[in-house]
Amino acid sequence: MRSRLGLWIALRIVRAAAMLTPSSSRAEWMREWDAELRHRAGRPRMNRSAWRTDMDLIVRALGAALDAAWLRRQFTLDADAVHDAGHGLRLLMRTPGFTAIALLTFAVGIGATTAIVSLADALLVRPLPVPDVDRVMTLWQDNREMATTQGDLAPGNAIDIVRRTRSYTAIAIVEPWAVNAMLPGREPEYLTAAMVTDRFFDVLGARLAQGRGFLPHEHRRGAGRTVVFSHGFWRDRFDSDRSIVGKAVRLDAGAPYTVVGVMPARLELKLFDTRATRPEPAVWLPKPEFADFEPNMRGAAYWNVIGRLAPGVSIERARAELDTLMTQLARDYPKTNRHITARIVPLREHLVGSLRHVLPLLLGAAVILLFVACANVANLLLARGVGRGREFAVRQAVGASRGRLVRQMLVESLLLATAGGAIGLLLARLTLDVIARLRPLDVARIDYIPIDLRAAALACGVTLVAAIAAGLTPALQLSRPAAAAALNETRTSGRRGVRSTLVVIEVAAALVLAVGAGLLARSFALIQRVDPGFSREQVAVLQVFVSPLRASAASRWRCSRCSSRRGSTRPRSGSSSSSRRSIGCAHCQAWSPPGASPRCRSATRKYASGYRSRSADACSRRATN
Amino acid sequence: MKLTYPTTLVLHALANGVRHGFDVIDATGLASGTVYPILRRLEREALVSASWEDAAIAQSEQRPPRRYYEITPAGHAVLETAADKYPAPRLVAARARRLRLARSSS
């Protein structure tokens, strides 16, 4: 009887508390409490008197009031938030000028900062698919007489360095090469390639995407032909065929090569001083033993050396050893090496290329830009908030609470920040795509730059904090009870001090940014004006390759003679120049003019800027076909 | 989400197999006015999922179906992070065990 009474009282309490709950969830809420109370009443605890069970039920039922109050509060907050968001949206749409400027400020600040930091992250921080990459070094040659730095090594120098150095666990020579591929169902194709000595894959230490690197016996002269594909070539030409390893492909005018491996994805080394114009090797070949003439070649420099530092050897020690080696070589070969020194550049630093010196400047500029964006956003919202003094006073007069007004401003700031952030991230994505498309070729790994989420979060967060702070400051001040006096004033006192400070900071930051941008533009203009020592106008460079497998020495010679005979022609009518127009080959010394012999099985590459005649195009087409 | 000691106790109880609101109250020793808002908040944060008991079971015991709560994987993860701050109270586990035994014997 008693427990029935207890249950009856408990259920009455729950029903009364249910009035507090939102009507949409009331029935379910009551059902839950009802079931729990009835279950407990039907199963009193052991050794517990009936009146204690009743009291337990009643005490628990009293908790239902707190539960209902919590639900009501959440419901009210949710409903108010939706209402505030709608109201804020309408207000923002009523002032399109302000909204557009605020969104643009958000977008530019967040977009530019995110793009620049993502770029720096992709180039400087993101790991390469090479283990312990900071121990991998590239070696280069400087020529004091020619004032050239970070150029390729002469074969003789490279061989001596590799043979004599003790600073590396593995060191390898890389030689630029080219092959003509004849893949089934495809047009013959000219491919950039590289020949590597036997420790190359030990230097990289990277796990290949497919297969393996070259075995020592594959570097012997006369050994079977083997090849390792670059990841991009394998993906584009073979559709990432996993069974490619072990198959034979026809390269170099039809000779069969066995595919032994595929390089890891996203591995670009950008070796050779032609890295700004030469694409990454599509195929990697084993370099056989050095030819007799190679150790004595010290004039022309076109090889590259890459090595992995031995444990415990610092870069400084390796540099000191290299300096000693180069001094010895200069003493031994004064004719060719008198002005030659060598330098070690860590692979990671080398891959940043020409952006090495620009990135820190850009990062600084991005920070200033974010700062200016924050100040701008804060200023805009402060000005807007101060201008709404009368609106706040009216709303307070008709019963709006202070918390509600503050929340309203907060919601508006959040709306602006969210939309601005979204546009900013879109802008960052577009900017990164444009950078990737316009990238200098000597810069690796920026074919696709992912947005750095940490940078995006930081930029959005900083701007959001600025927006919230700027939105809340006037709201807190104007929602004070004394602010109701604003009803009788034509204007509020505002936050002139804060705004003036913000304007001063903004102008100072913008000035720094403008000066930085001006200096950067001037440096760029100066670089453009550097005199290369010859006139670049009307100069083109054409490389001609005549396959030794398809043509005899005599026919190659005839082809070269034919090319050189027609290598110089009078300029077309209408040209103001009286000089002869020449197209020369840097490597093989062959001359390939417009309209060269169709017997040439050649591929061409155009180097010079600002020149490409119709006949040269025709020659290129013929050559590549 | 702010993880208080009572919230951790409730999560512990649910992780130990306690399923119903009043059983959580018994296992944790917290008041009903504390436990239920915590359960609502946890449900809102998807750390706990709630469902209605099978009507057949309730019918066989001649009472209305009860609502039961279960801790989600996200709730387990949060509970793990809270373990350093609030070590697992043995009392909750012991009470939960007793409740489970009582449930299985009935």
Side-chain angles (χ1 to χ4, degrees):
Chain A
M1 180 70 193
R2 267 185 183 172
S3 76
R4 276 191 194 166
L5 180 66
L7 179 63
W8 185 84
I9 295 170
L11 289 174
R12 288 294 170 280
I13 292 171
V14 168
R15 265 173 216 165
M19 303 307 288
L20 282 172
T21 56
S23 55
S24 56
S25 58
R26 190 173 296 156
E28 193 164 318
W29 182 86
M30 276 189 64
R31 207 175 137 207
E32 180 178 6
W33 274 98
D34 187 77
E36 288 297 321
L37 288 170
R38 286 182 193 281
H39 177 262
R40 180 48 54 103
R43 292 187 168 200
R45 278 189 178 184
M46 298 270 286
N47 306 325
R48 188 173 266 197
S49 61
W51 73 269
R52 280 192 69 185
T53 305
D54 286 350
M55 286 309 293
D56 183 49
L57 284 174
I58 293 166
V59 168
R60 288 191 184 204
L62 286 172
L66 290 174
D67 185 24
W70 188 89
L71 281 175
R72 164 56 61 185
R73 183 173 156 69
Q74 290 304 311
F75 177 77
T76 311
L77 285 175
D78 290 350
D80 285 354
V82 171
H83 178 265
D84 287 347
H87 183 61
L89 207 59
R90 282 194 297 278
L91 283 177
L92 289 175
M93 286 169 75
R94 211 179 290 161
T95 51
F98 164 82
T99 309
I101 291 171
L103 286 180
L104 196 68
T105 312
F106 266 116
V108 170
I110 292 172
T113 310
T114 307
I116 296 298
V117 177
S118 301
L119 181 65
D121 178 68
L123 291 172
L124 301 175
V125 184
R126 210 166 282 275
L128 281 167
V130 174
D132 212 3
V133 67
D134 294 329
R135 306 288 296 167
V136 179
M137 303 291 143
T138 54
L139 278 68
W140 305 89
Q141 184 172 299
D142 295 346
N143 189 327
R144 285 193 301 257
E145 189 184 24
M146 307 289 287
T148 56
T149 55
Q150 205 170 330
D152 291 335
L153 284 156
N157 295 341
I159 291 169
D160 282 336
I161 289 170
V162 169
R163 283 178 177 165
R164 295 188 202 179
T165 185
R166 295 286 172 270
S167 300
Y168 301 88
T169 46
I171 188 164
I173 287 172
V174 187
E175 183 180 353
W177 203 251
V179 291
N180 290 316
M182 299 176 75
L183 304 176
R186 286 183 170 273
E187 291 287 315
E189 187 175 13
Y190 167 81
L191 299 174
T192 52
M195 295 180 88
V196 296
T197 54
D198 56 349
R199 303 299 305 278
F200 177 73
F201 290 98
D202 296 332
V203 174
L204 292 183
R207 187 187 162 86
L208 268 62
Q210 298 288 327
R212 56 164 175 86
F214 301 122
L215 299 174
H217 73 267
E218 288 167 349
H219 291 271
R220 285 195 206 119
R221 202 167 288 281
R225 293 186 175 98
T226 49
V227 63
V228 169
F229 285 159
S230 76
H231 195 275
F233 183 70
W234 172 62
R235 182 194 58 214
D236 297 341
R237 306 297 194 284
F238 294 93
D239 202 18
S240 301
D241 178 9
R242 288 178 183 276
S243 64
I244 189 73
V245 174
K247 285 185 179 168
V249 291
R250 294 199 172 274
L251 299 175
D252 223 3
Y257 282 71
T258 307
V259 182
V260 296
V262 176
M263 281 287 204
R266 299 188 313 280
L267 179 71
E268 287 189 17
L269 298 175
K270 293 289 167 191
L271 301 173
F272 315 117
D273 58 6
T274 53
R275 57 192 172 277
T277 51
R278 184 185 160 90
E280 268 301 280
V283 295
W284 300 80
L285 305 164
K287 180 164 177 57
E289 293 106 353
F290 301 122
D292 293 340
F293 63 89
E294 283 174 336
N296 301 318
M297 280 184 72
R298 295 181 194 275
Y302 56 94
W303 281 14
N304 209 250
V305 171
I306 183 168
R308 180 177 284 275
L309 284 178
V313 176
S314 64
I315 297 182
E316 289 71 28
R317 200 172 124 195
R319 281 184 176 139
E321 188 205 35
L322 185 64
D323 288 345
T324 312
L325 265 173
M326 293 311 289
T327 310
Q328 284 172 5
L329 290 178
R331 209 166 37 235
D332 296 345
Y333 309 101
K335 196 176 168 187
T336 51
N337 280 49
R338 199 171 58 235
H339 300 291
I340 302 296
T341 56
R343 66 166 62 195
I344 294 173
V345 181
L347 179 64
R348 186 187 284 282
E349 191 182 317
H350 159 67
L351 289 179
V352 182
S354 56
L355 290 180
R356 194 185 311 162
H357 307 296
V358 181
L359 268 181
L361 280 177
L362 286 176
L363 278 175
V367 171
I368 295 175
L369 190 66
L370 184 64
F371 191 64
V372 171
C374 285
N376 269 326
V377 165
N379 210 359
L380 278 168
L381 288 170
L382 271 177
R384 187 162 186 263
V386 170
R388 292 171 66 182
R390 284 179 66 82
E391 178 203 329
F392 274 35
V394 169
R395 289 182 67 182
Q396 268 188 309
V398 295
S401 68
R402 192 179 181 204
R404 188 72 196 275
L405 293 179
V406 171
R407 205 168 61 220
Q408 173 67 46
M409 284 297 280
L410 188 68
V411 166
E412 283 177 33
S413 301
L414 284 174
L415 273 176
L416 275 176
T418 309
I423 299 172
L425 290 180
L426 196 67
L427 199 67
R429 181 68 269 152
L430 290 173
T431 309
L432 288 172
D433 287 345
V434 169
I435 290 175
R437 208 169 299 143
L438 301 177
R439 69 157 172 163
L441 271 173
D442 66 332
V443 176
R445 295 188 300 140
I446 55 171
D447 284 333
Y448 177 77
I449 311 164
I451 286 185
D452 182 46
L453 291 178
R454 291 161 300 175
L458 185 72
C460 290
V462 169
T463 327
L464 186 66
V465 168
I468 290 172
L472 285 185
T473 308
L476 285 172
Q477 197 188 33
L478 294 171
S479 59
R480 282 183 195 148
L487 269 175
N488 300 320
E489 295 174 8
T490 52
R491 54 180 292 198
T492 60
S493 56
R495 300 278 296 170
R496 286 190 153 194
V498 178
R499 287 183 60 201
S500 305
T501 312
L502 276 173
V503 168
V504 170
I505 292 171
E506 245 180 280
V507 170
L511 196 67
V512 171
L513 205 62
V515 169
L519 286 174
L520 209 63
R522 181 159 172 72
S523 304
F524 185 71
L526 285 173
I527 288 169
Q528 292 292 93
R529 267 189 246 146
V530 169
D531 184 5
F534 63 91
S535 168
R536 284 178 293 191
E537 295 299 315
Q538 299 289 299
V539 176
V541 182
L542 196 70
Q543 276 184 297
V544 180
F545 298 91
V546 187
S547 170
L549 296 179
R550 282 297 177 90
S552 64
S555 66
R556 289 208 305 270
W557 173 247
R558 275 199 304 277
C559 179
S560 297
R561 293 285 296 167
C562 159
S563 301
S564 59
R565 266 202 309 277
R566 300 177 64 179
S568 304
T569 56
R570 286 283 170 195
R572 285 161 186 277
S573 59
S575 167
S576 59
S577 167
S578 61
S579 64
R580 290 164 77 83
R581 187 176 59 191
S582 304
I583 302 173
C585 170
H587 287 292
C588 67
Q589 302 301 318
W591 294 88
S592 176
S597 164
R599 293 174 63 188
C600 294
R601 294 283 184 267
S602 61
T604 61
R605 298 198 60 227
K606 182 170 70 72
Y607 283 93
S609 58
Y611 179 87
R612 189 173 178 91
S613 71
R614 247 184 302 169
S615 50
D617 281 341
C619 176
S620 298
R621 274 199 297 279
R622 267 201 301 278
T624 48
N625 288 341
Chain B
M1 172 182 173
K2 194 182 169 192
L3 209 62
T4 59
Y5 183 61
T7 310
T8 315
L9 283 181
V10 171
L11 280 173
H12 266 302
L14 293 171
N16 277 291
V18 180
R19 301 173 73 191
H20 302 286
F22 274 26
D23 292 347
V24 174
I25 293 168
D26 292 335
T28 58
L30 296 169
S32 59
T34 306
V35 168
Y36 272 97
I38 288 174
L39 285 172
R40 312 273 180 234
R41 198 153 52 93
L42 291 173
E43 192 184 347
R44 197 182 163 103
E45 303 283 340
L47 303 180
V48 157
S49 64
S51 311
W52 286 98
E53 196 179 30
D54 189 3
I57 299 171
Q59 243 172 11
S60 68
E61 294 183 14
Q62 294 182 328
R63 59 169 175 77
R66 298 169 76 189
R67 199 156 190 248
Y68 67 87
Y69 297 86
E70 280 177 321
I71 188 165
T72 61
H76 277 294
V78 168
L79 186 59
E80 271 176 35
T81 58
D84 295 336
K85 198 173 170 187
Y86 306 117
R90 287 179 190 171
L91 192 64
V92 173
R95 283 175 178 166
R97 208 177 306 119
R98 274 207 304 275
L99 282 165
R100 279 204 308 273
L101 282 172
R103 200 166 58 212
S104 59
S105 65
S106 63

